[in-house]
Amino acid sequence: MKHFLSLMDFSKEEILDILALAKKIKEDAKAGKHKDYMPKKILGMIFEKSSTRTRVSFEAGIYELGGVGLFLSSNDIQLGRGEPMKDTSRVISRMVDMVMIRTFEQEKLEEFARYSKVPVINGLTDKLHPIQLMADYLTIMEEGLDKDLVVAYIGDGNNMAHSWLNMASKLGFELRIATPKNYQVDKEVLKLALEEAKKSGAKITIGFDPVEAVAGATVVTTDTWISMGQEAEKNMRIKDFRGFIVNEELMKLASKKAIFLHCLPAYRDYEVSEDVLEGAQSRVFEEAENRLHAQKGIMVWLDQRRDK
């Protein structure tokens, strides 16, 4: 049985296999050829962190696959009253066919997976956001940019930056990350990515200059400067991230065919300017829709391998 906790747990071939399945499911759905890949299957959705895209995409996705989703906030289950994660896992995984968790610590997710009888999907942790990268890469494939891909990530060295490191190191493309000096990526995540890059041929550059990172890039991407739980740091972060906004001036340095991606929610004129977010190079809403399709691919792929 396979879980979907980190892209580092998968080979390049497995990642591309999931994406190919997601692409097929999407194309079939657009053509009106819906298939019940998971008839009457139940997806438990545990939300310790609230979300728009994650809830709607998983709930709609499992329904379109023939199953049903159960929304479980920490207020709805005993996790909110201090029940150990391993106990929650052993109970819920006896009643559902798959579990998606959106939580804080990666360690809590991994503990749940260790005790689970069913596949577990990382809906987001403070460390990683792998389902978002699957949607991002599906968008890149649809734009025909997956060959000779150069990605520039500008901003906070957070879970999105970590997941870009994971994806680049596995698939072998060029990734340039530019962060403020006090907001660098996790050293252990970087170390593992650099080790994997030696096998895949990925070129990974870590720096502090958005101009250098964006020059000639085919994908420019960023994330919010103030993630959930960091609201108290807002004023300090706005000051520290000055010069890291993705605006038209910065986008002009990228390749002429470059697209802009953002996992959303986006705070206009902080990490990205209004004209870039709403401009011709933006693919953020296609990217958001692809959360639905990429996650259907993940769920079906895991379900098909549940007993293997």
Side-chain angles (χ1 to χ4, degrees):
M1 184 177 67
K2 193 96 170 177
H3 300 297
F4 194 86
L5 309 183
S6 166
L7 293 168
M8 298 303 279
D9 298 334
F10 294 83
S11 67
K12 176 179 180 177
E13 292 70 27
E14 287 174 325
I15 292 170
L16 293 177
D17 190 29
I18 296 170
L19 287 166
L21 178 58
K23 191 169 183 290
K24 181 183 186 306
I25 292 172
K26 178 179 180 178
E27 289 171 350
D28 287 348
K30 295 289 185 182
K33 301 175 183 176
H34 289 278
K35 179 179 176 181
D36 286 351
Y37 284 91
M38 298 175 66
K40 297 184 179 179
K41 295 292 179 74
I42 302 170
L43 172 70
M45 304 180 299
I46 299 174
F47 284 84
E48 288 198 298
K49 275 190 169 184
S50 59
S51 172
T52 299
R53 280 148 292 277
T54 301
R55 178 175 180 180
V56 175
S57 56
F58 271 109
E59 198 160 337
I62 189 65
Y63 177 80
E64 290 180 0
L65 294 172
V68 64
L70 299 179
F71 173 77
L72 304 167
S73 76
S74 55
N75 294 325
D76 298 320
I77 57 179
Q78 296 300 321
L79 271 178
R81 296 179 63 232
E83 182 177 48
M85 185 65 83
K86 61 185 179 181
D87 291 359
T88 300
S89 175
R90 284 180 286 192
V91 171
I92 291 179
S93 67
R94 290 168 184 261
M95 301 178 180
V96 302
D97 300 287
M98 193 172 290
V99 176
M100 184 284 301
I101 306 178
R102 184 177 168 94
T103 187
F104 293 89
E105 300 90 350
Q106 182 77 13
E107 293 75 18
K108 290 174 71 174
L109 170 78
E110 291 170 357
E111 181 182 7
F112 191 102
R114 275 197 305 275
Y115 289 92
S116 176
K117 291 180 173 292
V118 299
V120 176
I121 299 171
N122 180 356
L124 173 141
T125 65
D126 289 343
K127 185 176 182 180
L128 298 172
H129 198 2
I131 55 172
Q132 180 66 54
L133 261 290
M134 296 297 280
D136 290 0
Y137 203 82
L138 179 58
T139 309
I140 289 167
M141 290 170 61
E142 291 175 338
E143 292 290 324
L145 296 175
D146 48 316
K147 303 294 187 290
D148 301 318
L149 176 62
V150 180
V151 176
Y153 175 90
I154 309 301
D156 196 4
N158 60 12
N159 52 8
M160 281 301 298
H162 295 161
S163 294
W164 275 111
L165 281 168
N166 289 353
M167 186 66 98
S169 71
K170 284 293 180 178
L171 298 192
F173 58 84
E174 183 174 355
L175 173 65
R176 307 168 187 165
I177 293 178
T179 69
K181 290 187 178 179
N182 293 328
Y183 298 88
Q184 294 165 260
V185 298
D186 180 85
K187 291 180 180 179
E188 186 60 28
V189 173
L190 177 59
K191 178 184 175 183
L192 292 174
L194 292 174
E195 289 173 358
E196 187 67 28
K198 293 175 183 177
K199 307 173 197 173
S200 69
K203 183 180 178 182
I204 295 172
T205 306
I206 305 294
F208 308 110
D209 187 348
V211 170
E212 286 185 7
V214 169
T218 51
V219 173
V220 179
T221 185
T222 186
D223 190 15
T224 177
W225 296 344
I226 305 107
S227 295
M228 195 177 299
Q230 297 173 336
E231 290 81 4
E233 304 172 21
K234 181 176 179 179
N235 291 335
M236 179 182 69
R237 282 177 166 264
I238 289 171
K239 180 181 177 181
D240 291 346
F241 280 80
R242 190 172 295 134
F244 283 80
I245 182 173
V246 179
N247 54 25
E248 280 196 327
E249 183 180 355
L250 193 63
M251 285 297 296
K252 285 177 182 177
L253 303 175
S255 167
K256 289 183 179 179
K257 63 181 179 181
I259 62 171
F260 173 75
L261 298 179
H262 191 306
C263 61
L264 300 179
Y267 298 93
R268 290 157 168 81
D269 298 321
Y270 285 91
E271 72 271 10
V272 59
S273 63
E274 174 82 13
D275 47 18
V276 168
L277 189 70
E278 299 289 354
Q281 291 172 287
S282 176
R283 298 293 183 276
V284 297
F285 297 106
E286 290 84 354
E287 174 191 10
E289 180 190 336
N290 276 336
R291 285 288 300 276
L292 171 68
H293 309 298
Q295 288 159 198
K296 286 198 283 186
I298 292 167
M299 288 189 284
V300 173
W301 193 91
L302 290 174
D303 188 60
Q304 290 174 344
R305 287 152 184 80
R306 178 175 170 177
D307 299 321
K308 294 182 181 179

